[in-house]
Amino acid sequence: MKFTDLGLDERLLEGIDAMGYEIATPVQQQVIIPILEGKDIIASAQTGTGKTAAFLLPLMHQLLTHPHEAHDINAMIIVPTRELAVQIAETMEGLSYFTSVSSIAVYGGGDGTTFSTEKKALTHGVDIVICTPGRMIAHLNMGYVKLKGLRYLVLDEADRMLDMGFNDDIMKIISFLPKQRQNLLFSATMPAEIRALADVLLRDP
Ligand code: AMP
């Protein structure tokens, strides 16, 4: 299946072209249209399958084609590690090159300058936030994160997050989010813990 058959915005097709993608991978073929239709998703997909673009492209399409609050965070992607956050931010940069969609990666380990850069973006609004759980909670606890307009939540490598003991952190972050939102859960494996999380989190996935 070609990307042009998926109904994606022209500006995204330019980004896809610049990244050198021609054919949508199986996970992209399976999830992009349901995400565009507003459905909650649970997908079993490992790194290397093209899962990142599978959720970034439809999210960006929705932000480009639907009116939304420019000064709010519109989508949050929670990931287990800073390496994955950086990797997703890089893919995002490539795919969004011809668009006005903004994003920031928020993860632990940087110095005070990094924290204040993150604080500024989270206070003034940025379309897509890609974050690790602990660092996001540090910001959320300070009360300035603009979440009222948040409409999309992605949990990426959810099984790894549970293995790393992030279950309570994820539930805490979710407690800050508006209830009306679309939820996407990606996991390499589907153990009972992931199914339990999906039961709590997803509506008719
Ligand atoms: P991911 O599974 O998201 O980590 O992606 C693995 C690699 O595949 C990344 O380098 C992507 O840029 C690349 N990729 C994603 N989708 C496609 C596609 N449709 N065609 C070619 N490469 C792709």
Side-chain angles (χ1 to χ4, degrees):
M1 191 187 276
K2 294 228 162 92
F3 286 101
T4 40
D5 299 330
L6 293 168
L8 294 167
D9 186 90
E10 216 40 62
R11 291 160 284 184
L12 291 174
L13 293 177
E14 282 188 60
I16 288 166
D17 202 40
M19 293 285 277
Y21 304 175
E22 284 173 11
I23 307 288
T25 66
V27 66
Q28 291 163 359
Q29 293 188 25
Q30 286 177 316
V31 307
I32 290 177
I33 289 173
I35 296 174
L36 291 174
E37 287 171 347
K39 299 209 167 81
D40 278 10
I41 294 282
I42 179 164
S44 169
Q46 281 152 10
T47 298
T49 56
K51 67 181 166 71
T52 311
F55 60 76
L56 285 180
L57 287 169
L59 287 186
M60 286 195 278
H61 177 91
Q62 301 297 56
L63 296 179
L64 286 167
T65 56
H66 292 67
H68 60 274
E69 284 294 326
H71 299 296
D72 270 348
I73 294 162
N74 292 291
M76 182 182 287
I77 301 166
I78 310 179
V79 303
T81 63
R82 81 171 76 163
E83 289 75 20
L84 186 58
V86 169
Q87 212 174 299
I88 294 172
E90 283 169 4
T91 303
M92 167 84 205
E93 208 172 303
L95 292 173
S96 68
Y97 189 81
F98 300 97
T99 76
S100 54
V101 181
S102 60
S103 66
I104 187 170
V106 168
Y107 49 86
D111 54 18
T113 329
T114 327
F115 197 88
S116 60
T117 308
E118 292 171 1
K119 178 179 175 187
K120 208 183 279 175
L122 298 173
T123 307
H124 296 293
V126 56
D127 291 317
I128 300 181
V129 172
I130 306 151
C131 58
T132 53
R135 182 69 153 209
M136 195 65 225
I137 287 177
H139 286 290
L140 285 168
N141 282 338
M142 308 234 249
Y144 47 67
V145 184
K146 287 259 211 114
L147 289 168
K148 264 211 341 254
L150 186 129
R151 290 177 302 156
Y152 307 99
L153 171 69
V154 182
L155 299 186
D156 192 18
E157 302 202 354
D159 51 353
R160 213 161 140 211
M161 291 205 275
L162 296 192
D163 284 347
M164 290 168 76
F166 285 139
N167 190 59
D168 292 352
D169 285 355
I170 291 169
M171 295 324 282
K172 170 138 201 221
I173 294 173
I174 289 171
S175 74
F176 283 89
L177 308 181
K179 302 263 175 301
Q180 276 295 333
R181 50 163 209 272
Q182 191 176 352
N183 303 291
L184 315 176
L185 189 154
F186 288 77
S187 186
T189 60
M190 291 288 160
E193 296 76 25
I194 290 293
R195 286 168 194 278
L197 180 65
D199 281 345
V200 177
L201 194 67
L202 307 176
R203 251 169 311 157
D204 191 21

